[in-house]
């Protein structure tokens, strides 16, 4: 026994020292109170980069394009501890930057990213995630040419998901193979604007391993981004944007930009193969029926950059296929939910729970909560079962020859006429009770109760023209003085000097960002809903058909969606005009448009507290306020 005692003591000491050290060296994912916990060191995280081989050669140099992927992951991740992945793929990492403060990637001497834009890395890496910032093909340090929503954009991002799951090749800077042996293969894609658009696009391919996406102010159809029923917002926009995001010498991708100009159909505004390739609801590269990922949509109803029909049509298509989903609907302009006033901590916590559920399998109940958060006034939010508000009732508001708007059909053969000229929206809504040759306008009397619009109004007009076609604009207007979200100024927010922090920081990359508040303005009117159509596209977006001159025809189309409350005592206005010069650079056709009032209406989805049995009319025609010039979109409006 005396000879064994020293050996036993030695073993005991070895175990006493080795066991804690071993445990400290290999921490596991820790979940408490339904959330992953920050048990991994952000400062010690692995920072590396690889080049994933895509299946496309967009710059036609004879070699498949490689996608630059910058990675930050827990030091302990590897074959023994695999972690899921959060991806933000973007074309903006070396030009406009990301986030409200325009952060760009910053690199160390080894060429790895020392500063990752946004808070995702600071917050999620300590909680057992890898975060990948991916340079879209043709941008920053990736190869190839930007394809503006097309094949290269989509398949480049898909290749990254394939690599994480062992289905694609990747290489380090020295050319040696890179294997993602540190990941479970489960991935999320997140991002605002183009970044969120790429998430929609990759999800529509049905790629395995993409478990969830969080598209923020994102495009689901590039046609909807640059067209409305044949009306062109901006000519040759795709080639312009490609030039803006590509920091290579201009000559490298000039042929690609020339091809875009030749194929975009700007001469007609019609939908064609170019736009079908860039449609993620029902497109050539993918469609909503293939989506395997859950979807957390964030958009704002006043985003006149990536207009809100991009989220409403995507959302409905997802709902029709019972895709697991969640939504936040705000009232600012092109703003990230991280910068919604008073919602930052809630956003970070909600996103954390969403990722924990879909990527780590944490049962935290987030999918059993109300599906929709909706902003109903400046920084005032409600939750509801879905969006649009369930049980909304469609009301048909009908124009009358005396300039009123109500529920009763106008007398037969009553008409109103205007000429299709390019007019600004300020001119369209100015002096509403005064005749204007470029528009016709109708208003209700004072409303007897609050009426909340939730969803997408429909313009349903019966018109005849003295020319083969005309552009038509329908505006739904709220007349009444009240404070409203001033989304036209600063995208609807003001950035403060005070910061708050979400996640861990290093000297090179802090987790702190400036707070924001919602801009509010008191004005006597607000344009609530907008809709545009080229009459010759009334039956088809792909095949124009002129309306026979002098013959009445029905022109029916959806406006942009909204969620807005008309207050008691306010009046609802309907303006019908020609070309909207505020949002289209087209010229008016000069056609004289005659509207059959008896055959025309606007259908509005209202959420009613009291049944709406009548809309009162004024005994004297409402003249409206004196001219009010709403601010024009700010410079840089078309960036996203």
């Amino acid at each position: 026994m005396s000879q064994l005692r020293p050996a036993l003591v030695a073993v005991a000491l070895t175990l006493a020292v080795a066991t804690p050290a071993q445990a400290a060296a290999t921490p596991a994912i820790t979940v408490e109170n339904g959330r992953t916990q920050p048990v991994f060191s952000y400062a010690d995280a692995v920072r590396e980069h690889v080049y994933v081989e895509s299946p496309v050669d967009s710059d036609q140099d004879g070699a498949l394009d490689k996608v630059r992927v910058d990675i930050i992951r827990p030091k302990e991740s590897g074959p023994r501890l695999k972690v899921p992945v959060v991806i933000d793929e973007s074309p903006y990492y070396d030009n406009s930057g990301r986030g409200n403060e325009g952060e760009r990637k910053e690199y160390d001497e080894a060429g790895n990213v020392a500063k990752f834009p946004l808070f995702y890395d600071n917050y999620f890496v300590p909680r057992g995630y890898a975060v990948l910032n991916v340079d879209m093909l043709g941008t920053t340090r990736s190869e190839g040419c930007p394809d503006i929503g097309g094949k290269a954009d989509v398949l480049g991002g898909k290749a990254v998901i394939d690599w994480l799951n062992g289905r694609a090749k990747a290489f380090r800077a020295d050319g040696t193979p890179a294997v993602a042996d540190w990941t479970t293969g489960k991935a999320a894609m997140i991002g605002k604007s183009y970044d969120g658009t790429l998430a929609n696009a990759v999800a529509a391919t049905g790629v395995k391993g993409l478990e969830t996406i969080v598209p923020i102010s994102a495009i689901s159809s590039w046609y909807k981004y640059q067209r409305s029923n044949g009306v062109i917002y901006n000519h040759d926009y795709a080639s312009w944007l490609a030039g803006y995001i590509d920091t290579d010498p201009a000559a490298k991708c000039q042929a690609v930009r020339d091809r875009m100009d030749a194929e975009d159909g700007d001469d007609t505004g019609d939908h064609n193969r170019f736009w079908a390739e860039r449609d993620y609801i029902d497109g050539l590269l993918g469609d909503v029926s293939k989506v395997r990922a859950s979807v957390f949509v964030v958009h704002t109803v006043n985003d006149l950059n990536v207009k809100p029909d991009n989220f409403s049509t995507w959302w409905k298509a997802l709902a029709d296929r019972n895709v697991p989903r969640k939504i936040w609907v705000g009232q600012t302009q092109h703003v990230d939910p991280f910068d919604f006033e008073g919602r930052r901590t809630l956003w970070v916590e909600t996103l954390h729970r969403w990722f924990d559920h879909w990527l780590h399998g944490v049962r935290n109940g987030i999918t059993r909560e109300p599906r929709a958060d909706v902003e109903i006034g400046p920084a005032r939010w409600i939750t509801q079962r879905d969006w649009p508000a369930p049980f909304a009732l469609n009301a048909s508001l009908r124009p009358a020859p005396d300039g009123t708007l109500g529920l009763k059909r106008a007398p037969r053969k009553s008409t109103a006429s205007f000429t299709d000229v390019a007019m600004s929206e300020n001119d369209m809504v100015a002096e509403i009770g005064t005749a204007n040759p470029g528009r016709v306008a109708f208003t209700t009397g004072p409303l007897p109760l609050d009426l909340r619009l939730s969803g997408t109004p429909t313009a349903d007009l019966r018109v005849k023209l003295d020319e083969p076609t005309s552009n038509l604009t329908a505006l739904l207007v709220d007349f009444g003085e009240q404070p409203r979200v001033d989304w036209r100024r600063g995208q609807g927010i003001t950035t403060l000097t005070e910061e708050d922090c979400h996640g861990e920081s290093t000297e090179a990359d802090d987790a702190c960002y400036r707070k924001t508040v919602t801009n509010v303005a008191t004005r006597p009117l607000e344009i609530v809903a907008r809709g545009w159509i080229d009459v010759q596209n009334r039956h088809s977006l792909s095949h124009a058909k002129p309306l026979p001159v002098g013959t009445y025809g029905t022109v029916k189309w959806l406006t942009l969606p909204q969620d807005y409350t008309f207050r008691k005592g306010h009046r609802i206005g309907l303006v019908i005009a020609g070309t909207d010069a505020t949002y289209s650079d087209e010229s008016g056709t000069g056609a004289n448009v005659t509207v059959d009032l008896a055959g025309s209406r606007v259908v509005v989805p209202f959420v009613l507290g009291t049944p709406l049995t009548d809309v009162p009319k004024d005994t004297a025609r409402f003249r409206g306020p004196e001219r009010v010039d709403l601010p024009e979109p700010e410079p840089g409006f078309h960036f996203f």
Side-chain angles (χ1 to χ4, degrees), residues 623-636:
R623 304 198 66 82
E626 295 181 3
R627 180 183 178 89
V628 176
D629 285 332
L630 302 174
E632 294 289 336
E634 296 177 331

Side-chain angles (χ1 to χ4, degrees), residues 413-468:
K413 297 185 179 180
S414 56
T415 64
S417 299
F418 64 90
T419 302
D420 175 18
V421 294
M423 292 179 66
S424 71
E425 288 189 346
N426 280 331
D427 290 337
M428 290 180 182
V429 301
E431 300 169 347
I432 202 72
T434 302
N436 185 317
R439 63 106 206 271
V440 292
F442 311 88
T443 57
T444 69
L447 296 174
L449 72 166
D450 288 356
L451 290 177
R452 178 185 167 202
L453 183 169
S454 183
T456 305
T458 301
D460 185 358
L461 307 180
R462 188 167 184 264
V463 302
K464 70 176 179 179
L465 313 176
D466 65 355
E467 299 286 345

